[in-house]
Amino acid sequence: MKNITSSNRAEYYKISSFIFMYFFTWSASIGLLAIWLGQKTNLSGTVIGTVFAVNGIFSVILKPMYGYILDKLGMNKYLLYFVVAMSALMAPFFIYVYQPLLISSTMLGIVVGAVYLSFAWYAGVAACESYTDRYSRLNGMEFGQIRMWGSLGWAVASSFSGILFNLSPAYNFILGSVTSVIMLFVLFSLKVNTHTSHASEVLSQQKIVPADVWALLRSGKFWAFCMYIAGVAWMMFIAEQQFSRYFVTFFDDVHQGNAVFGYLGTVQSGMEFIMYMVIPAFVNYVGAKKGLLIVGLVVGARLIISGVCDSHLLISVLKPLYGLEICLLLVSIFKYIAEHFDKRVNATMYLLGYQAMLYVGNVVVSAPAGQLYDKIGFEKTYIIMGCIALGFTLISTLTLSACRSNRDLSVRVNNPNPPKKVHQ
């Protein structure tokens, strides 16, 4: 916490508490969505894939809008108030609206659920993370120093969410709603100082206009970044959507599988919490581009090994690696965006180039992936996904832009006059 001064320590605790509770509510409820859809609404793998695909459609539409609004608002918290208010409606929505609709009128339920989930969660979490990144840079902090508390919130909820789910999913949703109300009060108390010493580096005097978005869309760097997301992040997140269903097949008792999955969620989030302490320094050392490439290698290897393993012990060891992946991915992405894109479009770039592009994958790949799960099994599908991730990682070594690194700076300082090449 070396970047956190005594003058802004109180606000650090507030925004960290906000992030903690946001991810706590997600883990306690939405984190078990695939299991809930399969066990409580009796949807098949194909239909569950369709649920995530439709969720992706609405997320792709809403995320760029959220990004544009964030860049327009600057450091105002109005959008975050709306997101938290929506999440507070979780219990009545899931109990009295979503589940009955999925059972009686499945397609209508899928659409209504997609609208709500996008407002409160799929686009909401992107808005919260983007705001947190901007807030951290405004106050001279590292994003990871704040985001790590979200991982801890996920871990705490995961430690008992599976057991609570076995009693009744309604308890999970009620807990999420109550926590969201508390979160709203914390957000109200958060103070924002736009006149810090870092303000000129983070905030632009000129507000974003539609022309800035069109310029972003015409940028080659933007599309190179999107190609990386399509090849690596799509595989990473889409495989995770129904991984819980694959995981429980390694156990004779599905309830035992649910509980163990929750325990491993705690281990995974604990790993994230620890990694967020050290990953920012690591990414600063190697550069954001190399951080992204390392993510691709780890994702590809984990998915391939998941497809060939036949032991509940090995699959249990592989599951927490997702925590390392998401931590390294997020830190590298925010640093890559800050280095290569105009600060006027910082939030728009994150929510359009990363988050919206991520959910294009839900639209394009989720339903076919669900069909592959049903037809050829999880094992072969994960091997295919892992190979795709490795292939796009190789391509991205050429297409992603080079990034500054502390390692390169150290080399220049220690050897300021490197020998010149001799041309023969």
Side-chain angles (χ1 to χ4, degrees), residues 16 19-20 23-24 146-155 269 272-273:
S16 297
I19 291 297
F20 174 92
F23 281 87
F24 177 92
I146 300 172
R147 177 58 178 78
M148 68 182 187
W149 295 104
S151 300
L152 183 62
W154 189 284
S269 298
E272 285 184 36
F273 181 79

Side-chain angles (χ1 to χ4, degrees), residues 278-295 328 331-332 335-336 339-340 401-411:
V278 298
I279 286 296
F282 173 76
V283 176
N284 287 337
Y285 181 74
V286 303
K289 176 181 177 178
K290 289 183 180 178
L292 293 173
L293 297 178
I294 292 172
V295 171
L328 183 55
V331 171
S332 298
K335 291 184 180 294
Y336 187 90
E339 183 171 344
H340 289 290
S401 301
C403 293
R404 297 186 301 270
S405 69
N406 289 345
R407 180 180 181 275
D408 293 337
L409 179 61
S410 176
V411 171

Side-chain angles (χ1 to χ4, degrees), residues 297-348:
L297 294 176
V298 176
V299 169
R302 179 176 67 88
L303 291 179
I304 291 173
I305 297 173
S306 295
V308 300
C309 80
D310 57 0
S311 166
H312 71 279
L313 294 177
L314 179 56
I315 200 71
S316 297
V317 171
L318 292 172
K319 173 66 177 78
L321 286 180
Y322 180 76
L324 171 63
E325 295 166 7
I326 189 63
C327 175
L328 183 55
L329 179 67
L330 278 178
V331 171
S332 298
I333 281 176
F334 277 119
K335 291 184 180 294
Y336 187 90
I337 291 174
E339 183 171 344
H340 289 290
F341 296 92
D342 193 289
K343 56 190 175 184
R344 284 180 297 177
V345 297
N346 184 269
T348 301

Side-chain angles (χ1 to χ4, degrees), residues 52-71:
F52 285 109
V54 176
N55 289 348
I57 292 175
F58 284 91
S59 297
V60 168
I61 295 171
L62 188 59
K63 285 185 176 185
M65 295 171 59
Y66 269 18
Y68 188 86
I69 292 171
L70 276 176
D71 281 326

Side-chain angles (χ1 to χ4, degrees), residues 19-69:
I19 291 297
F20 174 92
M21 287 185 284
Y22 190 89
F23 281 87
F24 177 92
T25 61
W26 194 343
S27 175
S29 50
I30 311 301
L32 298 170
L33 181 59
I35 295 178
W36 182 79
L37 291 170
Q39 296 181 13
K40 301 303 178 181
T41 62
N42 298 315
L43 301 182
S44 67
T46 300
V47 176
I48 293 174
T50 302
V51 170
F52 285 109
V54 176
N55 289 348
I57 292 175
F58 284 91
S59 297
V60 168
I61 295 171
L62 188 59
K63 285 185 176 185
M65 295 171 59
Y66 269 18
Y68 188 86
I69 292 171

Side-chain angles (χ1 to χ4, degrees), residues 3 11-12 32 38 49 79 92 97 110 128 150 181 183 211 215 221 227 231 237 306 308 345 365 369 375 392 407-408:
N3 292 330
E11 304 313 311
Y12 167 78
L32 298 170
L79 183 59
V97 179
I110 290 174
C128 291
V181 173
M183 184 166 46
K221 287 185 177 181
M227 184 173 65
F237 284 96
S306 295
V308 300
V345 297
V365 183
K375 291 181 179 179
F392 273 83
R407 180 180 181 275
D408 293 337

